[in-house]
């Protein structure tokens, strides 16, 4: 726990370095508990605007949606026009391609008809570079690469295509199957679950959800984890017998970092079982980690505040279809930050309540965090950052999880994980009945702080301004409603209690 305290001690310098939402790192002192002032104001000053929001919220709650929307529209101007949207429109038919792109497609089909695979691959690559919106090209290219035993290249093509076309069941299904075939069960599960949540009303949503569960089970199976653990220990099934002959693992490897030499055969099996159990029940893993972490934090115990945050969290969580033992905590910390541990344990700073302007904004922030949890990003972090070895030691020796929590908090999410959480967070916000630009507005706040900050360390974090633009494109492209309930009134009541 000392390590964690030491790292969190940096907060004293005004920077939060422990939050899982790395992009939400803002100078703590920059967010004083000011009265809420909706940023997208019409004329008349902050007070008049706040009063107008409150009026609109009341109309909305009373069922007069049209009157509420009229006021919201006056208070929230259109997004600024940009020359280039980051959202690429899908093209389904070759006939919709322009003539130069169609020539690539025809060349690929001609090459295929003559069994010239490399020619077809080349033409398809040129077509994708020229027109990334054409759905059939990456599907066909990935298939050709897989047939040619170029699996990692096929996966790259599909990942890029799935980033561009998160709503295409064909592309995401091809990606899920390719990942599963490659033994990347956790990634396959996440890709499938992400599609199911993003496309709540899609006829195949249930099918994707079932695949997500199956692939997660495949990841947490003893056999799969045995391979992962052996790899983490720099062992292979082939070298294991030699080591077992000696009865012990090499003292230089990870299993004895606590100073005790373990009996290999027995202990590896024990480890596999324990890690498997820990990963199989993310709620329990999250509860263990949260228990450790809570000891280092000052938590708000005002039931009205905690209930408020819990209710918002559950509202977005129920749209994500993952049956966790959700728990929401409010941390006394005035930086605009929040983070999620595996299994639906979400921590929200008081600074996030004070730095957001409405229920919609806080719900957007929580949608982002819950998405990290629901998509097993914490487990993925453990798996991809070599942190599995840190989990092994507490599991075997029964020592506290503090080092695991510390490392989890320090390891940044990848850009694609952040984007996934942004997209799903906004998607569920749009479905929850709150204004769909809540998360976008939080990002805008962060972008303002980032640009006004003199702190160099901020430059290492994903640019919020870019995410603002991306989220705006997403909202426009999907017709998400920005003029649903804002919830300034209720939010102010809670802010006043902090
Ligand atoms: Zn995040």
């Amino acid at each position: 726990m000392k390590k964690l305290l030491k790292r969190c001690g940096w907060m004293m310098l005004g920077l939060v370095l422990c939050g899982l939402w790395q992009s939400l790192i803002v100078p703590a002192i920059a967010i004083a508990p000011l009265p809420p002032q909706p940023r997208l104001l019409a004329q008349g000053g902050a007070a008049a605007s706040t009063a107008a929001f409150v009026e609109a919220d009341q109309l909305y709650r009373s069922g007069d949606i049209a009157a509420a929307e009229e006021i919201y529209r006056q208070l929230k101007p259109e997004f600024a026009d940009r020359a280039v949207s980051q959202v690429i429109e899908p093209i389904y038919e070759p006939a919709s391609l322009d003539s130069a792109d169609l020539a690539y497609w025809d060349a690929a089909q001609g090459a295929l008809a003559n069994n010239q695979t490399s020619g077809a691959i080349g033409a398809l690559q040129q077509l994708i570079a020229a027109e990334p919106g054409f759905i059939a090209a990456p599907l066909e290219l990935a298939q050709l690469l897989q047939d040619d035993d170029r699996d990692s290249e096929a996966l790259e093509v599909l990942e890029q295509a799935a980033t561009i076309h998160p709503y295409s069941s064909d592309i995401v299904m091809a990606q899920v199957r390719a990942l599963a075939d490659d033994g990347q069960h956790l990634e396959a599960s996440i890709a499938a679950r992400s599609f199911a949540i993003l496309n709540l009303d899609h006829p195949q949503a249930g099918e994707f959800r079932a695949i997500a569960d199956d692939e997660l089970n495949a990841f947490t199976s003893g056999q799969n984890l045995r391979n992962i653990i052996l790899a983490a220990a720099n062992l292979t099934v082939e070298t294991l017998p030699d080591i077992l002959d000696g009865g012990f693992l090499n003292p230089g490897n990870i299993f004895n970092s606590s100073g005790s030499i373990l009996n290999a055969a027995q202990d590896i099996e024990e480890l596999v079982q324990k890690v498997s159990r820990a990963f199989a029940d993310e709620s329990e893993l999250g509860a263990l980690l949260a228990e450790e972490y809570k000891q280092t934090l000052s938590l708000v115990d005002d039931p009205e505040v905690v209930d408020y945050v819990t209710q918002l969290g559950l509202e977005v969580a129920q749209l994500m279809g993952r049956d966790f033992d959700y728990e929401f905590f409010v941390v006394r910390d005035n930086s605009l930050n929040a983070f999620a541990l595996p299994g639906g344990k979400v921590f929200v700073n008081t600074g996030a309540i004070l730095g957001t302007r409405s229920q919609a904004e806080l719900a957007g922030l929580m949608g982002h965090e819950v998405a990290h949890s629901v998509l097993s990003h914490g487990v993925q972090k453990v798996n991809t950052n070599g942190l599995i070895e840190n989990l092994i030691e507490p599991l075997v020796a029964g020592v506290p999880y503090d080092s695991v929590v510390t490392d989890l908090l320090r390891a940044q999410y990848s850009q694609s994980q952040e984007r996934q959480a942004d997209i799903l967070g906004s998607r569920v916000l749009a479905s929850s009945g709150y204004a769909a630009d809540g998360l976008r507005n939080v990002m805008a706040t962060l972008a303002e702080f980032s640009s006004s900050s003199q702190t160099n360390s901020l430059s290492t974090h994903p640019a919020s301004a870019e995410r603002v633009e991306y989220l705006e494109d997403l909202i426009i492209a999907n017709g998400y409603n920005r003029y649903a309930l804002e919830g300034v009134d209720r939010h102010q009541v809670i802010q006043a209690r902090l």
Side-chain angles (χ1 to χ4, degrees):
M1 203 48 54
K2 271 182 198 150
K3 265 194 288 183
L4 183 61
L5 284 172
K6 201 163 135 198
R7 281 172 187 133
C8 283
W10 290 20
M11 281 191 272
M12 305 299 279
L13 299 175
L15 280 176
V16 179
L17 294 179
C18 295
L20 287 191
W21 190 341
Q22 299 293 343
S23 63
L24 281 194
I25 292 172
V26 293
I29 48 170
I31 302 181
L34 296 170
Q37 298 178 8
R39 178 178 42 271
L40 303 170
L41 304 181
Q43 309 78 357
S49 160
T50 299
F53 266 116
V54 168
E55 185 192 347
D57 290 338
Q58 283 164 359
L59 284 166
Y60 194 95
R61 288 202 169 90
S62 73
D64 197 346
I65 309 293
E69 184 175 325
E70 199 176 315
I71 299 175
Y72 287 139
R73 280 185 185 279
Q74 287 169 15
L75 293 165
K76 299 165 82 167
E78 301 282 319
F79 295 140
D81 267 343
R82 284 191 304 284
V84 184
S85 161
Q86 296 180 64
V87 173
I88 296 169
E89 292 294 323
I91 297 173
Y92 298 99
E93 299 297 331
S96 305
L97 293 170
D98 69 26
S99 58
D101 297 336
L102 186 59
Y104 288 130
W105 179 245
D106 289 343
Q109 303 315 306
L112 276 180
N114 292 311
N115 287 324
Q116 293 168 340
T117 304
S118 63
I121 288 175
L124 289 168
Q125 285 169 331
Q126 285 176 299
L127 172 51
I128 293 169
E131 178 47 86
F134 186 47
I135 300 264
L139 285 174
E140 193 164 294
L141 176 58
Q143 188 61 58
L144 290 174
L145 291 168
Q146 281 175 306
D147 293 346
D148 209 24
D149 289 331
R150 292 157 71 177
D151 289 349
S152 61
E153 285 174 74
L155 278 171
E156 260 176 58
V157 168
L158 291 170
E159 188 184 339
Q160 195 185 6
T163 304
I164 295 169
H165 302 293
Y167 307 96
S168 164
S169 57
D170 288 342
I171 284 188
V172 179
M173 188 62 89
Q175 185 198 21
V176 169
R177 299 222 183 282
L179 286 166
D181 287 348
D182 196 46
Q184 297 187 47
H185 299 295
L186 182 57
E187 283 66 30
S189 171
I190 291 170
R193 197 176 309 282
S194 184
F195 181 89
I197 301 169
L198 190 54
N199 301 277
L200 292 166
D201 306 323
H202 194 283
Q204 282 173 279
E207 187 186 335
F208 274 90
R209 217 178 283 281
I211 293 173
D213 290 340
D214 288 348
E215 288 300 317
L216 193 60
N217 287 336
F219 171 75
T220 57
S221 78
Q223 185 56 46
N224 186 56
L225 283 174
R226 184 176 292 107
N227 294 338
I228 291 174
I229 290 168
L230 290 175
N234 283 325
L235 300 173
T236 64
V237 177
E238 288 72 36
T239 61
L240 190 58
D242 297 336
I243 295 156
L244 294 185
D245 278 348
F248 298 104
L249 291 172
N250 180 327
N253 73 48
I254 61 166
F255 293 110
N256 58 10
S257 56
S258 62
S260 61
I261 296 174
L262 307 170
N263 180 290
Q266 191 185 336
D267 289 323
I268 283 183
E269 281 320 304
E270 198 181 324
L271 278 175
V272 169
Q273 295 302 322
K274 285 181 173 177
V275 177
S276 177
R277 273 201 300 276
F279 280 179
D281 189 344
E282 283 175 58
S283 278
E284 196 178 320
L285 177 64
L288 283 167
L289 297 173
E291 208 46 55
E292 287 297 323
Y293 195 56
K294 273 152 58 183
Q295 291 174 23
T296 71
L297 302 170
S298 166
L299 296 175
V300 171
D301 54 12
D302 179 345
E304 201 159 325
V305 175
V306 177
D307 288 353
Y308 174 67
V309 168
T310 298
Q311 195 203 330
L312 280 182
L314 291 176
E315 279 180 58
V316 290
Q318 68 169 3
L319 293 162
M320 300 208 201
R322 195 97 195 258
D323 190 19
F324 283 145
D325 190 5
Y326 287 97
E327 266 187 288
F328 299 88
F329 306 96
V330 180
V331 183
R332 260 185 218 294
D333 182 323
N334 69 345
S335 56
L336 206 174
N337 206 352
F339 60 91
L341 290 175
K345 309 296 181 199
V346 179
F347 294 78
V348 178
N349 283 358
T350 46
I353 299 171
L354 293 166
T356 48
R357 275 79 171 179
S358 64
Q359 276 177 292
E361 290 193 7
L362 187 59
L365 169 62
M366 299 189 68
H368 175 102
E369 290 306 327
V370 172
H372 276 315
S373 230
V374 163
L375 295 179
S376 303
H377 282 166
V379 175
Q380 196 177 25
K381 234 197 240 187
V382 170
N383 194 28
T384 54
N385 287 274
L387 300 181
I388 206 160
E389 63 191 65
N390 303 38
L391 195 58
I392 287 166
E393 191 180 324
L395 281 171
V396 169
V399 297
Y401 283 74
D402 58 350
S403 70
V404 185
V405 182
T406 309
D407 290 326
L408 255 180
L409 295 174
R410 286 181 67 213
Q412 290 198 16
Y413 286 124
S414 69
Q415 257 187 334
S416 81
Q417 287 172 324
E418 288 298 349
R419 179 168 281 217
Q420 273 180 336
D422 282 347
I423 293 174
L424 295 195
S426 284
R427 172 67 177 99
V428 294
L429 191 60
S431 302
S432 68
Y434 291 109
D437 56 357
L439 181 59
R440 177 260 173 222
N441 291 339
V442 177
M443 288 296 169
T445 302
L446 291 165
E448 281 166 30
F449 282 118
S450 297
S451 63
S452 63
S453 169
Q454 302 298 310
T455 315
N456 287 334
S457 61
L458 288 173
S459 63
T460 60
H461 299 296
S464 296
E466 212 174 281
R467 291 167 80 174
V468 171
E469 293 192 358
Y470 179 75
L471 288 170
E472 289 180 358
D473 289 341
L474 203 71
I475 290 164
I476 293 168
N478 292 290
Y480 293 157
N481 183 9
R482 293 176 60 208
Y483 310 108
L485 183 64
E486 194 65 42
V488 169
D489 49 0
R490 177 98 180 94
H491 199 63
Q492 283 189 328
V493 171
I494 299 301
Q495 284 178 320
R497 299 184 71 89
L498 295 176

